[in-house]
């Protein structure tokens, strides 16, 4: 069994790679920082290979699939992603375009290409790392939340299509709240509520995708938040999100 993991050089992706190897999988580690990938490859030994790839470039995503499509990959983990914080009129347009390329476009391309392969074999797993943010509008992190809404929505639609076609292929959206990784450093934010560690997050994500869950939400607090959203008007929820996000700055 072999899995391809984007965003494997750090945080959740790195711990998903470690957990998969513990569960008997071989892993293909993908990210931009080659030295980080090499360190992890050394740790994981013969079970790992690494491919340096900037998934924000469409041609690099296409090449990644082209080079690896004959390797009998059974799991795709779309984990590469990042966020930025600030009023929408003040955040960098260039950085937001890069975020949309990474958090949306790369997920879209890789999901389609590998899903087509998995459908032919009628087996495989796709784990799209979204966020609890994927169920909300997020003032002060507007673009990041919007990218995760895309991932949740796309995954939900594909899940239903697979079910209707009687496919054995599984697809899940992993939707955690705060996880202790390098995410905050990259986004220049701090936690406004206690994070879980990325090892716990990784284990929950893998258990969930193997069980065929659509949404994998690893804590009771975040499950409650999603439930409460159903009971409150959208504007009130977004008002609450602003207060929550403001504490992160
Ligand atoms: N931490 C949280 O609180 C949290 C909560 C919910 C969801 N998430 C999601 O979890 C995922 C992983 O984030 P994390 O928390 O583990 O943060 P992280 O420690 O900063 O890891 C982000 C990973 O994404 C990779 N990456 C970013 N841009 C890339 C690009 N253009 N091409 C290839 N790889 C790229 C990074 O590798 P390189 O820099 O080496 O390329 C790194 O391996 C993200 O999608 C994030 O939105 C995080």
């Amino acid at each position: 069994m072999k899995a391809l993991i984007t965003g494997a050089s750090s945080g959740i992706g790195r711990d998903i790679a470690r957990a998969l190897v513990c569960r008997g999988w071989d892993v293909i580690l993908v990210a931009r920082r080659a030295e980080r990938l090499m360190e992890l490859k050394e740790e994981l030994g013969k079970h790992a290979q690494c491919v340096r790839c900037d998934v924000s470039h469409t041609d690099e995503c296409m090449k990644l699939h082209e080079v690896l499509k004959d390797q009998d990959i059974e799991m795709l983990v779309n984990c590469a992603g990042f966020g930025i914080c600030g009023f929408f009129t003040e955040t960098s347009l260039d950085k937001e375009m890069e975020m949309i390329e990474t958090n949306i476009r790369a997920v879209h391309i890789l999901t389609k290409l590998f899903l087509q392969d998995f459908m032919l074999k009628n087996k495989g797993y796709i784990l799209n790392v979204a966020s609890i943010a994927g169920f909300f509008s997020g003032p002060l992190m507007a673009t990041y939340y919007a990218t995760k809404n895309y991932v949740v929505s796309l995954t939900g639609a594909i899940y239903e299509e697979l079910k209707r076609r009687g496919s054995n292929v599984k697809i899940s959206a992993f939707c955690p709240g705060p996880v202790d990784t390098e995410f905050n450093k990259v986004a220049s934010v701090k936690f406004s509520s206690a994070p879980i560690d990325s090892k716990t997050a990784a284990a929950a994500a893998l258990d969930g995708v193997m069980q065929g869950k659509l949404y994998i939400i690893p804590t009771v607090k975040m499950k409650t938040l999603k439930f409460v959203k159903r009971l409150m008007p959208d504007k009130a929820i977004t008002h609450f999100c602003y207060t929550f996000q403001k504490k992160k700055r």
Side-chain angles (χ1 to χ4, degrees):
M1 296 172 301
K2 196 178 281 183
L4 169 67
I5 304 141
T6 73
S9 63
S10 167
I12 300 170
R14 183 169 57 190
D15 276 319
I16 286 177
R18 286 173 172 146
L20 278 168
V21 169
C22 284
R23 294 175 190 212
W25 287 67
D26 288 343
V27 289
I28 303 171
L29 313 167
V30 176
R32 294 165 301 183
R33 286 171 293 177
E35 69 292 351
R36 287 282 198 99
L37 294 179
M38 284 310 291
E39 274 171 34
L40 185 58
K41 181 180 153 46
E42 272 175 34
E43 178 190 321
L44 301 176
K46 63 178 171 38
H47 298 289
Q49 52 179 302
C50 34
V51 181
R52 197 202 161 275
C53 174
D54 183 340
V55 298
S56 69
H57 297 298
T58 299
D59 56 336
E60 292 201 28
C61 287
M62 305 296 280
K63 199 169 151 206
L64 187 68
H65 174 258
E66 189 56 36
V67 169
L68 298 173
K69 68 177 185 210
D70 296 325
Q71 285 218 21
D72 202 22
I73 290 166
E74 287 184 43
M75 184 186 293
L76 167 68
V77 181
N78 279 309
C79 191
F82 70 97
I84 51 174
C85 185
F87 283 106
F88 184 70
T89 50
E90 292 169 9
T91 43
S92 153
L93 182 58
D94 283 348
K95 208 71 199 153
E96 280 167 343
M97 288 304 111
E98 187 192 332
M99 198 200 308
I100 289 167
E101 304 287 353
T102 308
N103 296 11
I104 294 182
R105 201 140 121 151
V107 174
H108 186 108
I109 293 169
L110 294 174
T111 297
K112 187 180 277 284
L113 297 179
F114 282 97
L115 184 57
Q116 286 169 342
D117 298 344
F118 293 171
M119 290 296 279
L120 291 176
K121 296 182 273 187
N122 196 24
K123 65 173 183 179
Y125 300 96
I126 296 185
L127 176 59
N128 285 334
V129 178
S131 166
I132 197 69
F135 301 106
F136 297 89
S137 292
L140 300 177
M141 280 188 105
T143 310
Y144 176 71
Y145 274 58
T147 66
K148 294 303 182 180
N149 273 262
Y150 184 93
V151 177
V152 166
S153 172
L154 182 77
T155 306
I158 297 169
Y159 179 95
E160 185 63 21
E161 288 182 11
L162 291 173
K163 201 171 87 182
R164 296 293 174 124
R165 296 169 82 181
S167 173
N168 287 325
V169 180
K170 311 261 185 255
I171 189 164
S172 301
F174 182 47
C175 305
V179 184
D180 193 7
T181 64
E182 293 172 17
F183 181 90
N184 276 5
K185 199 172 126 206
V186 175
S188 301
V189 293
K190 55 184 197 268
F191 287 118
S192 57
S193 71
I196 59 170
D197 65 82
S198 61
K199 202 173 162 188
T200 307
L206 290 176
D207 289 346
V209 73
M210 304 239 173
Q211 287 160 18
K213 284 188 181 168
L214 169 53
Y215 303 133
I216 307 161
I217 304 174
T219 60
V220 174
K221 196 171 173 184
M222 293 303 137
K223 282 186 184 125
T224 308
L225 199 60
K226 181 171 177 287
F227 177 76
V228 168
K229 181 182 182 268
R230 280 198 242 152
L231 310 175
M232 285 173 72
D234 286 349
K235 279 209 290 195
I237 283 286
T238 308
H239 178 92
F240 163 78
C241 278
Y242 178 85
T243 313
F244 178 79
Q245 285 302 131
K246 201 171 164 212
K247 284 195 213 155
K248 289 189 179 177
R249 299 184 89 191

